[in-house]
Amino acid sequence: MRPERLEIAVIGGGLAGSLLAITLAQRGFRPIVFERRARYDATEPERGRSINLALAARGIAALDRCGIYAEIEPLVISMRGRMIHEHDSTLKLLRYGQRDSEQIFSISRTALNRKLYEIATRRHGVEYQFDSPCIGIDAGSEQPIIETHGRVRTLDADIVFAVDGAGSAIRGALEEFGALAVSDERLGHGYKELAIAPAPSGGYAIDPHALHIWPRGNYMLIALPNTDGSFTATLFLPLDGRTSFASIGADDVSAFFCEQFPDAVGLLGSLEEEYADNPTGLLGTIRCSTWTFDNRYLLLGDAAHAIVPFHGQGMNAAFEDVATLDELLDAHGDDFQPAFEAFERSRRADVLAIADMALENYAEMRQRVRDPDFAFRQQVAFELERRFPDRFIPRYSMVMFHPEISYAEARRRGFEQDRTLSKLCANASRVMDVDFELAERLVGAA
Amino acid sequence: MRPERLEIAVIGGGLAGSLLAITLAQRGFRPIVFERRARYDATEPERGRSINLALAARGIAALDRCGIYAEIEPLVISMRGRMIHEHDSTLKLLRYGQRDSEQIFSISRTALNRKLYEIATRRHGVEYQFDSPCIGIDAGSEQPIIETHGRVRTLDADIVFAVDGAGSAIRGALEEFGALAVSDERLGHGYKELAIAPAPSGGYAIDPHALHIWPRGNYMLIALPNTDGSFTATLFLPLDGRTSFASIGADDVSAFFCEQFPDAVGLLGSLEEEYADNPTGLLGTIRCSTWTFDNRYLLLGDAAHAIVPFHGQGMNAAFEDVATLDELLDAHGDDFQPAFEAFERSRRADVLAIADMALENYAEMRQRVRDPDFAFRQQVAFELERRFPDRFIPRYSMVMFHPEISYAEARRRGFEQDRTLSKLCANASRVMDVDFELAERLVGAA
């Protein structure tokens, strides 16, 4: 049944590429993964590159589909909510969900990538070729060109998956060919990673089971826990303007942090050096006119639809891409062409929705979480979910904890929820004052 | 041959809806147009709503395709370039193209809409129903619901075209149904229209054959000529921040204009009243996951893909939509379903490209036109076009004057041009110093 001799190239051996390779191997294919970087076990993580990520239910569901989540689980640290650090150093925990089980999971990009690589290679015999960036597509054969240590070769693949990330070389080459159009919308804000060391006693310096946020209106600092007791902090700041990466030099950064993040400054042991040495990362949204080409290419993950990181859904969406493709290969009997077409048709609305929700969440994290009204609306939303669990699930919870609800559906219901919550909160300042009879009418039938 | 009895509803009798109705009537169909507004000939133009537009080659080509441009041409005023008003009131003309024929055309939205309505109704017998907004879609029949003077009815249409603009009710209803996902990305800048009266002597107060720009970095004032000797000026400004619609009240506006637009302030006779009374318009980009639904609906124009106005291409793109659909109905023998699918497939890349180019052009208009390097690059680009007319057409010219080159192709070539121009301009400060042998190699084969 299975066309085992199909040559499948997976361009990019990062998180999505490795999960895709596992999925394809489990289907009986023998993909070859081409990875730009040197062999993972021989290298240190890249400096200043987002090194911890938030795994949530969509990503877990995709890992579960391959039967490998049990091996990933030991790598994660659960986070039950956002720990808000006010300007006066008071702390406030805003839980992610109303149930204790509704948590998200901090995980090291490097550790997860190595684990997926290990599963792909040791269990499934997937071949990885390292030091092998794709440098373009051959105009005649329309095949990827790979360069390894100066040696250039053109592949001869029946199927090519582009999972080579936000800066995808395949996407760039297809764009140059006129095979697709790409929108790369920069946010105008950048980020810089900074390290919080473990406490001198060896434990965590701050609560490990939370995503820490120092919301400051137009910018913010966040921190996610690592398994070794450290945290990775990330400063998000406009690129230009009054308070920005352009205006704050390494000489100014200590004063800026003492002023704005007084309770964090003591945790950031090498603030000035890291601020000077770590690159300023750019943020943006990639949108493509199509993700397929020539019945042969499919773009997946960041290569197809990079989003800003503020909903913690970039990796989760990429993993969900892989799971969706796997379902469609089931439905189409491993026939790639109709599966690719169906993927594009079914996934476009979801990707449009999560890209927007990720952008919207930046304002929520850096600004709205400070507002007492925000916490009150969230309490009311949780109460509605408790009372009407089949009829009301807060949008954030749908995105993070309900993979059975698509991103597009979550966004659509979110608009309704906003209207409902605005009506219910207009005349109440405590949850007990909310008109739950009106609420029941507003949330409608199950 | 033609299914004359097909019931076709055109929701929206604006510019695109009227051109579409003409096109459909010319194909032998009998569309009915449902329009929210009152009968055109009985009403004044809406206040503060963009009342002049820039018609360029794509729009003209679409009008020509219907054989009606000769009737539109008397309504336009040609603009040969951008007249830059420096802060010290000096003027600088930056031509749009290197050929005298490369001009764009200011036209009144109201006059054009009335002319298209007149052609549709008088020549082609198209029925318009006014005061008839679409207020949603019936969940059972999936048919548009129209309300006229309080009377609500559900249509029974075989085909529904949603050409009801950026705030499309059809699109909103389809979004609520979960039939498509919509991204509505606000720019963060708004606009306000202001009037420049004719000179006391009766003529134009400033050069009528130019699009006037007062570029001021993060904001700008522009003015387009009207046939009656007046100009419509538009102030584009951030919504919030130091210099913004939030910070500048009606009391401050005269001082702000005296400071920033000294040579314009005398032309704006009712600045304070208009600033106070005219609404602040919002700007944004609409992206949809699909433009079709149920083999019955097709979204076109702003309803499908509203863009920011800075490339003057919103109306032109909408007219090109109509021409593209007309071509596809030719190709598919008036079979709507395959034509709709082909439309979506072929048009998506172009719409993605013009949306981005429109956003990019804001920074060009308000900021980069001030830079002497910008004018120099443009001169070099024109010289390349003169020397290698088959191989180099500046991106702006491709978008505005070359409808045979798609938006996506224009954007793609634009990236190459940027690299070429950067190399050529790096070591030259006058056009005569440019290395045109290198240029010939860089622009490549025809």
Side-chain angles (χ1 to χ4, degrees):
Chain A
M1 279 278 299
R2 298 265 161 79
E4 299 230 356
R5 285 165 48 249
L6 215 55
E7 300 281 351
I8 300 182
V10 174
I11 308 297
L15 300 172
S18 294
L19 184 63
L20 175 65
I22 292 168
T23 298
L24 292 169
Q26 290 179 345
R27 300 192 74 84
F29 296 105
R30 297 176 58 82
I32 301 179
V33 179
F34 297 89
E35 169 56 42
R36 168 180 69 76
R37 290 167 288 178
R39 183 171 297 280
Y40 298 139
D41 33 19
T43 51
E44 288 297 298
E46 288 174 72
R47 190 160 191 191
R49 179 97 206 288
S50 136
I51 61 165
N52 54 9
L53 300 161
L55 185 63
R58 284 166 208 274
I60 292 171
L63 294 167
D64 252 347
R65 190 177 167 86
C66 294
I68 62 174
Y69 182 59
E71 291 161 85
I72 309 297
E73 201 169 7
L75 305 175
V76 310
I77 302 172
S78 64
M79 301 183 290
R80 69 200 183 288
R82 295 164 171 158
M83 187 67 80
I84 308 300
H85 294 245
E86 306 273 17
H87 205 274
D88 64 3
S89 302
T90 57
L91 295 177
K92 177 174 70 176
L93 180 72
L94 295 173
R95 294 194 65 106
Y96 283 129
Q98 52 111 350
R99 298 183 183 89
D100 282 348
S101 62
E102 292 177 337
Q103 310 214 357
I104 63 175
F105 302 96
S106 180
I107 188 165
S108 147
R109 176 191 288 272
T110 310
L112 178 56
N113 208 155
R114 284 180 191 180
K115 177 59 79 180
L116 293 172
Y117 164 65
E118 192 186 300
I119 295 169
T121 52
R122 296 204 191 150
R123 187 164 321 145
H124 297 293
V126 173
E127 178 182 345
Y128 277 61
Q129 299 194 8
F130 289 98
D131 300 303
S132 296
C134 174
I135 59 168
I137 294 179
D138 181 73
S141 64
E142 296 183 341
Q143 288 282 349
I145 305 169
I146 304 288
E147 177 169 4
T148 305
H149 300 309
R151 193 172 65 87
V152 169
R153 67 212 144 115
T154 302
L155 302 184
D156 182 15
D158 300 303
I159 297 293
V160 179
F161 288 102
V163 271
D164 49 347
S168 173
I170 297 274
R171 191 189 65 229
L174 292 176
E175 189 182 13
E176 295 239 334
F177 280 10
L180 49 77
V182 179
S183 163
D184 177 359
E185 185 178 27
R186 295 301 165 90
L187 184 60
H189 291 228
Y191 69 94
K192 177 96 68 178
E193 289 204 348
L194 307 164
I196 294 176
S201 62
Y204 288 93
I206 50 178
D207 185 336
H209 293 298
L211 191 153
H212 295 263
I213 310 182
W214 289 257
R216 295 296 180 264
N218 200 31
Y219 55 91
M220 67 178 181
L221 179 71
I222 70 167
L224 278 79
N226 300 311
T227 45
D228 66 356
S230 69
F231 283 78
T232 303
T234 310
L235 174 67
F236 293 93
L237 207 59
L239 294 172
D240 297 299
R242 201 158 43 143
T243 303
S244 69
F245 282 114
S247 74
I248 299 169
D251 294 345
D252 317 310
V253 72
S254 285
F256 172 63
F257 270 65
C258 287
E259 168 76 25
Q260 294 299 330
F261 312 114
D263 61 329
V265 76
L267 305 170
L268 297 159
S270 310
L271 174 59
E272 289 180 34
E273 297 91 306
E274 289 177 345
Y275 188 87
D277 295 348
N278 286 347
T280 301
L282 301 177
L283 300 164
T285 304
I286 298 276
R287 297 178 176 94
C288 297
S289 60
T290 180
W291 301 323
T292 59
F293 172 60
D294 194 28
N295 297 325
R296 180 186 293 160
Y297 285 84
L298 181 66
L299 276 61
L300 287 175
D302 282 358
H305 50 70
I307 60 178
V308 295
F310 306 109
H311 220 307
Q313 284 290 310
M315 171 182 65
N316 289 284
F319 284 2
E320 196 174 66
D321 278 358
V322 174
T324 302
L325 179 68
D326 194 34
E327 285 170 26
L328 290 168
L329 288 171
D330 281 351
H332 292 280
D334 279 329
D335 192 352
F336 282 93
Q337 187 187 332
F340 285 5
E341 281 173 18
F343 179 87
E344 176 141 24
R345 212 162 41 238
S346 74
R347 197 73 179 132
R348 183 171 291 286
D350 292 326
V351 162
L352 193 77
I354 189 57
D356 276 16
M357 291 191 287
L359 283 163
E360 291 160 18
N361 236 39
Y362 189 25
E364 179 168 317
M365 290 179 80
R366 63 179 155 76
Q367 185 149 28
R368 287 205 301 279
V369 292
R370 302 195 293 181
D371 186 341
D373 281 351
F374 176 85
F376 176 58
R377 275 175 85 100
Q378 196 191 31
Q379 284 168 24
V380 174
F382 285 163
E383 184 58 28
L384 292 177
E385 189 181 21
R386 257 179 234 113
R387 289 173 180 244
F388 316 110
D390 300 329
R391 296 187 257 169
F392 192 100
I393 304 168
R395 186 178 98 171
Y396 189 89
S397 297
M398 287 191 278
V399 172
M400 302 308 266
F401 309 126
H402 288 271
E404 77 284 5
I405 301 172
S406 72
Y407 287 130
E409 175 71 5
R411 182 148 193 268
R412 191 190 67 72
R413 289 201 215 169
F415 292 128
E416 283 170 27
Q417 292 182 353
D418 273 348
R419 290 189 290 268
T420 296
L421 289 170
S422 293
K423 281 179 198 155
L424 294 177
C425 296
N427 300 310
S429 54
R430 294 172 306 176
V431 174
M432 59 183 291
D433 297 336
V434 167
D435 180 348
F436 286 105
E437 287 179 22
L438 172 61
E440 183 154 21
R441 289 197 301 278
L442 290 175
V443 301
Chain B
M1 279 278 298
R2 297 265 162 79
E4 299 229 359
R5 285 164 48 247
L6 214 55
E7 299 282 349
I8 300 181
V10 173
I11 309 297
L15 300 173
S18 295
L19 184 63
L20 175 65
I22 292 168
T23 299
L24 291 168
Q26 290 180 343
R27 300 192 73 84
F29 296 105
R30 296 176 61 82
I32 301 179
V33 178
F34 298 89
E35 169 58 38
R36 170 179 67 76
R37 290 167 288 178
R39 184 172 298 279
Y40 298 139
D41 34 18
T43 51
E44 287 297 296
E46 288 174 74
R47 190 160 191 193
R49 178 97 206 289
S50 136
I51 60 165
N52 52 11
L53 300 159
L55 184 64
R58 285 168 207 275
I60 292 171
L63 294 167
D64 252 346
R65 191 178 166 85
C66 293
I68 62 174
Y69 182 58
E71 290 161 84
I72 308 299
E73 199 168 8
L75 305 175
V76 310
I77 302 172
S78 65
M79 300 183 289
R80 68 199 184 289
R82 296 163 171 158
M83 187 68 79
I84 308 301
H85 294 243
E86 306 275 15
H87 204 273
D88 64 3
S89 302
T90 57
L91 295 176
K92 179 174 69 176
L93 180 71
L94 295 172
R95 294 193 68 104
Y96 285 129
Q98 52 111 349
R99 298 183 183 87
D100 282 346
S101 61
E102 291 176 339
Q103 310 213 358
I104 63 176
F105 302 95
S106 180
I107 188 165
S108 148
R109 176 190 288 272
T110 310
L112 178 55
N113 207 155
R114 285 182 190 180
K115 177 59 77 179
L116 292 173
Y117 164 66
E118 190 186 299
I119 295 169
T121 51
R122 296 203 191 153
R123 186 163 324 145
H124 297 292
V126 173
E127 178 182 346
Y128 277 60
Q129 299 193 7
F130 288 96
D131 299 302
S132 297
C134 174
I135 59 168
I137 294 177
D138 181 73
S141 64
E142 297 184 337
Q143 288 283 350
I145 306 170
I146 303 288
E147 177 169 3
T148 304
H149 300 307
R151 193 173 64 89
V152 168
R153 67 210 144 117
T154 301
L155 302 184
D156 182 16
D158 300 303
I159 297 292
V160 180
F161 289 100
V163 271
D164 49 346
S168 172
I170 297 273
R171 191 187 65 229
L174 292 176
E175 189 182 13
E176 295 239 333
F177 280 10
L180 49 76
V182 179
S183 162
D184 178 359
E185 184 179 30
R186 294 301 164 89
L187 185 60
H189 291 229
Y191 70 92
K192 177 95 68 178
E193 289 202 348
L194 306 164
I196 295 177
S201 61
Y204 288 93
I206 50 178
D207 184 337
H209 294 297
L211 190 153
H212 294 262
I213 311 181
W214 290 256
R216 295 297 179 262
N218 201 33
Y219 56 92
M220 67 180 183
L221 178 72
I222 69 168
L224 278 79
N226 299 313
T227 45
D228 67 355
S230 69
F231 283 79
T232 302
T234 310
L235 174 67
F236 293 94
L237 207 58
L239 294 172
D240 296 301
R242 202 159 42 145
T243 303
S244 69
F245 282 114
S247 73
I248 298 169
D251 294 346
D252 317 311
V253 71
S254 284
F256 172 64
F257 270 66
C258 287
E259 168 75 27
Q260 293 299 329
F261 310 115
D263 61 330
V265 75
L267 305 170
L268 296 158
S270 311
L271 175 59
E272 287 179 35
E273 299 91 305
E274 290 178 343
Y275 189 86
D277 295 347
N278 286 348
T280 301
L282 301 177
L283 300 164
T285 304
I286 299 276
R287 297 177 176 94
C288 297
S289 60
T290 180
W291 302 324
T292 60
F293 173 60
D294 196 28
N295 297 325
R296 180 186 293 159
Y297 285 84
L298 180 67
L299 278 62
L300 287 174
D302 282 358
H305 50 70
I307 61 179
V308 295
F310 306 111
H311 219 308
Q313 283 291 309
M315 170 183 66
N316 289 283
F319 283 2
E320 196 174 67
D321 279 358
V322 174
T324 301
L325 178 69
D326 193 36
E327 285 170 27
L328 291 167
L329 288 171
D330 280 349
H332 293 280
D334 280 327
D335 192 351
F336 283 92
Q337 186 187 335
F340 285 6
E341 281 173 18
F343 179 86
E344 175 141 24
R345 213 163 41 240
S346 76
R347 197 75 179 132
R348 183 171 290 286
D350 292 327
V351 162
L352 192 78
I354 189 58
D356 276 17
M357 291 191 288
L359 283 162
E360 291 159 18
N361 236 39
Y362 189 24
E364 180 167 315
M365 288 178 82
R366 64 179 153 76
Q367 187 150 29
R368 286 207 300 282
V369 291
R370 302 195 293 180
D371 186 343
D373 281 352
F374 176 86
F376 176 58
R377 274 174 85 100
Q378 196 193 32
Q379 284 169 23
V380 173
F382 284 163
E383 183 60 27
L384 291 177
E385 189 182 21
R386 256 177 237 116
R387 287 173 182 243
F388 316 110
D390 300 331
R391 297 185 255 169
F392 192 101
I393 304 168
R395 186 178 98 170
Y396 188 89
S397 297
M398 287 190 280
V399 171
M400 303 307 268
F401 310 125
H402 289 269
E404 78 284 6
I405 301 172
S406 72
Y407 287 130
E409 174 70 5
R411 183 149 191 267
R412 193 190 67 70
R413 289 200 213 169
F415 292 128
E416 282 170 28
Q417 291 181 353
D418 272 348
R419 290 190 291 269
T420 297
L421 289 170
S422 293
K423 280 179 198 156
L424 295 177
C425 296
N427 299 309
S429 53
R430 294 172 306 176
V431 174
M432 60 184 289
D433 297 334
V434 167
D435 179 348
F436 285 104
E437 286 179 23
L438 172 61
E440 183 153 22
R441 289 197 302 278
L442 290 174
V443 301

